[in-house]
Amino acid sequence: MGNGGRLSLDSRAARIAAPAIFALLVLAIWQLYTVVSDVPESSLPSPTQIAAAGWENRQLLLDNTWVTIEEILIGFAAAIVLGVVLAMLIRSSRTVERALYPWLVVSQMVPVPAVAPIFVIWTGFDLRPKIMVIALVAFFPIAVNTIDGLRAVDPQLLRLMRTLRASFWQRFRYAQLPAALPFVFSGLKVAAALSVIGAVFGEWVGASEGLGYLILVLNNATDTATMFATIFLLALIGISLFGLVILIERLLLPWYHDARKESSDDGIAEPADDAVEIGGRL
Amino acid sequence: MPATTARLRTEGLTKAFPARSGAGDRVSALEGVEMTIDPGEFVSIVGPSGCGKSTLFNLLAGLDRPSGGRILLDGRPADNLLGEIGYMPQADLLMPWRTVLDNTALGLQLNGVKRAEARERARGEFQRFGLAGFEDVWPSQISGGMRQRAALLRTFLAGREVMLLDEPFGALDALTRQEMQQWLLRIWQEDRKTILFVTHDVEEALFLSDRVYVMSGRPGRIELCVEVELERPRELERTMTAPEFAELKLKLIEPLRRASAAARAEDG
């Protein structure tokens, strides 16, 4: 955390300029390397070749981008429902927690890409197996963070609320839920990145469209430049989804963002995770 | 027999907990606590840390059941006190996700008052509670003294006749603390609610109270009860320099010192 003191004046500009300059530098070196060395375009196309190929195939890329975005949005939504419902189930009673929690962890030991073909056998080549893969990859961080979040409320506050005659439902609605939301959003940020990975896996196992599918096709055609453009688009989708989560978080939890800003101005360490940290800087 | 019915009265109040070592042992936290608080009185409890003040407050707030004895509210034995008595814990416990105004209106809202109306009623008290102009900020943006006043307003607005205040000024600096004491007296004089106040500051207890109970620890019991007949309204400089004040202080300090020494010996 270095945004106190002498950095504060130009930190905002630096926050945007520094990564941009770094990216330009990498691109320049990349460009230079492809020019001076005799690496073939099929192995490593130059940034300008990638841009040209991307522009040339823009319709193809765009069409497949929409397909993948649809999968990711539906899959991500499914992951949220699955993660939150599981978390609430697990927090609802000690018995359920004992029975389910270990299996929740075990579920992450199963390599999801290996399970993906089974989904295809079950449901065919349509949208469904992709959504299942995405949900399966992305629900875990949501579930785990929500479980932690539902535990995060100050027990003293719940006692105070009982003296104010709060019902069980009121204690949940006014105390437990708002205390849990920052945690839920931490989970959502990790899940956003994972859902892009899930979409690509889902398409690799069986698809006839989408950016993941396109990568396989382009790989066969050794059109490396367009492949790079496709990867760039996939990354862009991930970043956008991440940004969307942060936007919703700021709208929904203005208090959280304000408090964080203040505590970092004071130089107080924050107990937040890395995803949140990156999020705060975007 | 007192002429009026005591607002709050404890008779032989006892609380024991299962010992951590297990084996059916029980640790006594409170033993035979007898206390009387008349309507509109300001009563303080002083005692060393670990003397059972928190246990006592949890019983009075209805968060815990006594092992023996009973609590009478307005002369009636109270079976379940939860929600009958206002309780302000040591920590302000303001919700970071609610503005200061919404925090103070919480008690009203929980009891079925519509949010808009609860906010209006809370807003009406902001001037008196020194919070005017801070209605729409987050609790993290106001000072410690203001946070305590906001927490107190939340307790006030919940509308209970008896309020338990657990070291509300314990975490404040000396100067803020004195201001808050004078302010609290003013508020109390205006509203005449019944207040039971916990502190380990003898001067604070004397300055505020009609009566002071000294508690000693393990098991917690009432060691001494002192009537404070200093004239009201009280003023910090005048009251604290009065010879009667010094006398009362002397009367309290010795038993309190013994209680602290005993508590330390138990710890050691």
Side-chain angles (χ1 to χ4, degrees):
Chain A
M1 297 292 309
N3 53 355
R6 86 197 145 78
L7 273 173
S8 62
L9 201 77
D10 56 344
S11 67
R12 206 178 169 80
R15 223 180 275 178
I16 298 163
I21 291 169
F22 179 72
L24 284 176
L25 202 69
V26 170
L27 286 175
I29 292 168
W30 183 351
Q31 186 77 30
L32 202 68
Y33 175 74
T34 54
V35 172
V36 298
S37 73
D38 49 2
V39 59
E41 193 193 328
S42 58
S43 298
L44 184 69
S46 71
T48 49
Q49 284 167 334
I50 293 168
W55 182 249
E56 197 179 314
N57 296 310
R58 58 187 178 277
Q59 198 54 50
L60 176 76
L61 286 169
L62 217 58
D63 290 344
N64 286 288
T65 299
W66 294 129
V67 173
T68 303
I69 285 178
E70 189 191 1
E71 291 165 5
I72 288 174
L73 286 182
I74 300 174
F76 189 53
I80 295 172
V81 173
L82 186 63
V84 171
V85 167
L86 259 173
M88 292 180 70
L89 255 177
I90 283 173
R91 286 298 297 146
S92 67
S93 90
R94 287 290 297 159
T95 317
V96 178
E97 176 162 4
R98 286 212 183 93
L100 280 187
Y101 204 94
W103 296 112
L104 186 69
V105 178
V106 167
S107 79
Q108 293 308 293
M109 306 302 144
V110 179
V112 177
V115 190
I118 297 171
F119 294 155
V120 176
I121 293 170
W122 288 347
T123 59
F125 283 79
D126 61 7
L127 204 57
R128 283 172 293 174
K130 287 101 184 171
I131 290 165
M132 288 164 96
V133 173
I134 294 167
L136 213 62
V137 174
F139 87 93
F140 185 71
I142 301 173
V144 170
N145 278 285
T146 306
I147 291 167
D148 286 346
L150 291 171
R151 266 196 265 263
V153 66
D154 186 344
Q156 274 203 79
L157 177 60
L158 295 178
R159 290 160 70 82
L160 173 76
M161 291 189 71
R162 283 171 60 207
T163 71
L164 292 170
R165 300 182 188 156
S167 65
F168 177 83
W169 168 246
Q170 283 177 323
R171 294 203 295 277
F172 177 76
R173 147 108 176 64
Y174 288 102
Q176 213 180 357
L177 183 67
L181 280 180
F183 289 81
V184 177
F185 272 95
S186 296
L188 290 182
K189 284 169 204 160
V190 180
L194 288 177
S195 59
V196 179
I197 299 174
V200 172
F201 274 135
E203 289 180 14
W204 279 1
V205 174
S208 52
E209 49 185 354
L211 292 178
Y213 163 77
L214 194 60
I215 283 177
L216 293 183
V217 174
L218 294 166
N219 190 28
N220 280 337
T222 49
D223 185 352
T224 317
T226 315
M227 251 175 85
F228 268 97
T230 313
I231 293 166
F232 173 76
L233 281 174
L234 279 166
L236 201 62
I237 294 174
I239 292 166
S240 307
L241 190 60
F242 192 81
L244 184 71
V245 172
I246 286 165
L247 187 73
I248 295 171
E249 181 189 48
R250 291 218 176 150
L251 292 175
L252 230 55
L253 314 176
W255 61 273
Y256 186 61
H257 183 241
D258 291 357
R260 284 173 52 78
K261 205 166 59 192
E262 248 158 61
S263 62
S264 66
D265 285 348
D266 294 345
I268 298 164
E270 298 161 29
D273 63 3
D274 288 342
V276 179
E277 187 49 37
I278 295 161
R281 269 141 204 281
L282 279 177
Chain B
M1 280 301 281
T4 52
T5 313
R7 175 124 289 157
L8 189 66
R9 201 182 147 77
T10 67
E11 292 177 348
L13 201 60
T14 298
K15 179 71 186 175
F17 294 104
R20 218 168 281 167
S21 58
D25 292 347
R26 287 174 79 75
V27 175
S28 181
L30 285 182
E31 214 167 74
V33 171
E34 305 267 349
M35 237 192 248
T36 305
I37 302 144
D38 287 330
E41 264 195 319
F42 198 126
V43 173
S44 288
I45 302 172
V46 284
S49 38
C51 72
K53 291 174 292 190
S54 308
T55 308
L56 176 63
F57 264 28
N58 284 337
L59 296 182
L60 294 177
L63 289 164
D64 223 337
R65 295 296 175 100
S67 316
R70 56 181 193 162
I71 302 167
L72 294 110
L73 189 62
D74 294 318
R76 285 172 284 110
D79 212 32
N80 188 0
L81 280 164
L82 196 60
E84 296 297 323
I85 286 179
Y87 176 41
M88 180 182 163
Q90 222 165 326
D92 58 66
L93 297 176
L94 296 175
M95 297 170 164
W97 51 83
R98 292 189 141 221
T99 61
V100 175
L101 183 62
D102 279 322
N103 262 292
T104 57
L106 178 73
L108 290 169
Q109 239 186 307
L110 289 175
N111 290 306
V113 179
K114 289 233 167 52
R115 177 159 179 259
E117 197 202 322
R119 281 167 60 93
E120 272 328 294
R121 276 167 65 183
R123 201 189 292 277
E125 294 283 3
F126 262 54
Q127 192 67 47
R128 203 158 71 100
F129 277 72
L131 294 165
F134 294 91
E135 288 83 355
D136 299 319
V137 302
W138 306 116
S140 58
Q141 295 167 309
I142 59 176
S143 68
M146 292 182 82
R147 290 175 67 102
Q148 289 300 328
R149 287 201 295 271
L152 206 57
L153 178 53
R154 176 182 57 197
T155 311
F156 260 74
L157 284 170
R160 314 288 183 262
E161 282 309 312
V162 186
M163 288 195 293
L164 311 175
L165 310 183
D166 188 359
E167 288 192 50
F169 310 144
L172 303 177
D173 63 87
L175 221 59
T176 315
R177 201 177 166 132
Q178 293 188 344
E179 281 168 20
M180 294 283 285
Q181 289 165 2
Q182 298 181 75
W183 169 82
L184 179 63
L185 271 192
R186 244 189 354 260
I187 297 286
W188 170 73
Q189 232 128 22
E190 286 163 15
D191 294 17
R192 281 289 165 168
K193 302 259 191 191
T194 309
I195 292 181
L196 183 58
F197 189 98
V198 159
T199 176
H200 46 234
D201 180 342
V202 172
E203 292 193 354
E204 183 171 71
L206 285 173
F207 176 63
L208 295 171
S209 316
D210 296 313
R211 189 174 327 110
V212 177
Y213 288 101
V214 177
M215 258 183 106
S216 68
R218 314 196 192 184
R221 50 176 184 267
I222 302 292
E223 202 74 0
L224 182 71
C225 169
V226 173
E227 299 290 333
V228 185
E229 275 149 0
L230 300 165
E231 78 178 278
R232 292 191 189 269
R234 294 178 190 168
E235 225 177 291
L236 205 65
E237 287 78 11
R238 198 163 42 80
T239 306
M240 285 205 180
T241 51
E244 301 96 304
F245 191 88
E247 257 172 59
L248 286 166
K249 208 170 131 184
L250 271 176
K251 222 165 147 184
L252 288 178
I253 276 179
E254 191 43 43
L256 194 60
R257 195 171 288 152
R258 253 181 289 131
S260 294
R264 267 201 304 279
E266 285 250 353
D267 277 337

